[in-house]
Amino acid sequence: MNRRTALRLIGAGVAVGAGTAGLPWLAAEGQPGRVLASRLPLPRPYQRPLPVPPTRTGSAIRLTQRVAVVEILPGVQTEIYGYDGTFPGPTVVSRSGQPLTVRHRNELPVPTVTHLHGGHTPPDSDGFPTDLLLPVGGGATGTGHHPDPAAVVRTGERDHTYPLAQRAATLWYHDHAMDRTGPNVWRGLAGFHLVHDDEEDALPLPKGDRDLPLLIADRSFAADGSLLHRAHGDREPGVLGDVITVNGVAWPYHEVAATRHRLRLLNASNARQYRLALDPPGGGLVQVGSDGGLLAAPVRHDSIDIAPAERFDVVVDFGRYSPGQRVDLVNRLGDGGTARVMRFVVGSRAADDSTVPARLSTVEPLPTPKRTRAFRMGSLDGVWTINGAGFDPVRPVAMPALGATEIWRFTADVHHPVHLHLGHFQVVGRGDRGPGPYDAGWKDTVNVRPGETVSVAVRFTASRGRSVIHCHNLEHEDMAMMAMFAVI
Ligand code: C2O
Ligand code: CU
Ligand code: CU
């Protein structure tokens, strides 16, 4: 069944009973997807230094989305779609409470939508998937299978206004165009957006070049060096690459002073999940922040499970290693090349006045809500569904009141990292237990594992209007695993 037929069936209200039978790729632990093998020889790891994207500040920023040629694999030219022609895009640095306007210009050959992931952004600037920005000079297309009379389609340039009335956090921006988010992000449309505030500035955490954003993404390459992706097939499980990139370079290395460093880990992969650890382990990964900023208190991990779109801010004390030592960031869910991420080469000892305080911030639990809504993440033949239906940009699946707190309960057939726009939430339970080891603090994406139920408490305070909830496995999202909700 093709997608059009499947959507027609959904439209006709066909009952859903798809289980996980006959989904052989479930066999790979933690990997909801199928590897796309590169068709050129892959390099030895740790040959090239880690790039750190340039930062952009100010109250008005311009970004041009364009085609560029970059070197992701050593000596191989790869064409990308990039914000200002780079992958990752420039790191936008903003200040809590200070509004920011970003003017995007689309010089790509495809329509795009830019979303600030984790931003508490009103609907007109959030990046609703049908609010397309068509390429300069016009050309292709409407909203395809998803007719949306409310969509605001523009051509060439548009402004996004971000109030940023939110706490310090590691956010990211990426493409969100209806039906093409997977290929657009795979080609390079992703970058960091760091929000700072006074509370965080006052903490003695590592700063400056000891505060490193690390955008982790897997990719695959065609024989000519171009990026390889897979067209959407029926119930596409997710595209996995066999090359792990960090900040746009395959398996980089980074020289660090033998001091504490803050690593802002972002899983910007389309579908791949990682279990990140240090080898040798040293003092482990001390988590200080999650998707929505600082935790109340640090949490020490031997390894961290990170699903697509999740962020973990961790402090690593390289002072525990000897100068000259190599410390690898590894992926315990990978094998061969995908078990490696990057290497740190520990340099000489240096002054270090940073510490990780026992108290970081205040995370007040949300009041116990009265209302619970259930969202079943599943599938129907060719498409991925929420509560049995594929994406409909017009019909809301929920209409929470502005400021109300609700429990949203997600169940999953296979791995689905569930993401909500507009606000952050707190995980209150997994199955009949409390939150898991990676659920602390304010989150905007939560990994729901096969057969699991995850409950989150959420309060929508940012603004009224329509927004989306979706799976952040981008191939699932593009195959309709998204739903519109409206804050009223
Ligand atoms: Cu990171 Cu709706 O997206
Ligand atoms: Cu988002
Ligand atoms: Cu999914």
Side-chain angles (χ1 to χ4, degrees), residues 115-118 127 172 174-176 309 419-421 445 468 470 472 474 477 482:
H115 169 58
L116 174 60
H117 182 122
W172 63 301
H174 63 77
D175 194 69
H176 216 299
H419 169 53
L420 260 80
H421 286 214
T445 307
V468 286
H470 62 88
H472 221 289
L474 300 184
E477 175 181 346
M482 177 144 60

Side-chain angles (χ1 to χ4, degrees), residues 35-53:
V35 176
L36 192 55
S38 290
R39 296 171 191 164
L40 44 61
L42 297 180
R44 278 181 299 112
Y46 320 133
Q47 288 186 56
R48 292 173 62 216
L50 173 82
V52 177

Side-chain angles (χ1 to χ4, degrees), residues 122-261:
D124 55 341
S125 281
D126 185 54
F128 197 82
T130 50
D131 287 345
L132 299 174
L133 179 60
L134 304 182
V136 173
T141 82
T143 55
H145 303 307
H146 313 277
D148 181 5
V152 182
V153 177
R154 298 175 181 83
T155 300
E157 287 189 358
R158 68 152 296 176
D159 286 353
H160 291 260
T161 303
Y162 302 115
L164 296 167
Q166 56 187 106
R167 64 207 292 262
T170 304
L171 311 185
W172 63 301
Y173 63 102
H174 63 77
D175 194 69
H176 216 299
M178 190 72 247
D179 294 351
R180 348 171 148 253
T181 296
N184 279 359
V185 171
W186 186 266
R187 288 188 170 108
L189 291 174
F192 278 103
H193 179 134
L194 310 181
V195 184
H196 293 297
D197 66 11
D198 296 344
E199 180 194 36
E200 193 188 42
D201 284 355
L203 291 178
L205 296 171
K207 293 186 170 64
D209 62 1
R210 296 180 189 171
D211 176 354
L212 278 174
L214 300 176
L215 183 146
I216 302 169
D218 58 344
R219 293 292 183 267
S220 296
F221 296 84
D224 64 359
S226 61
L227 287 162
L228 201 57
H229 194 255
R230 185 164 52 223
H232 304 313
D234 279 4
R235 200 156 49 175
E236 168 60 51
V239 176
L240 306 179
D242 55 6
V243 172
I244 308 298
T245 70
V246 184
N247 293 351
V249 158
W251 300 294
Y253 71 86
H254 188 62
E255 288 169 6
V256 288
T259 62
R260 283 183 202 84
H261 281 68

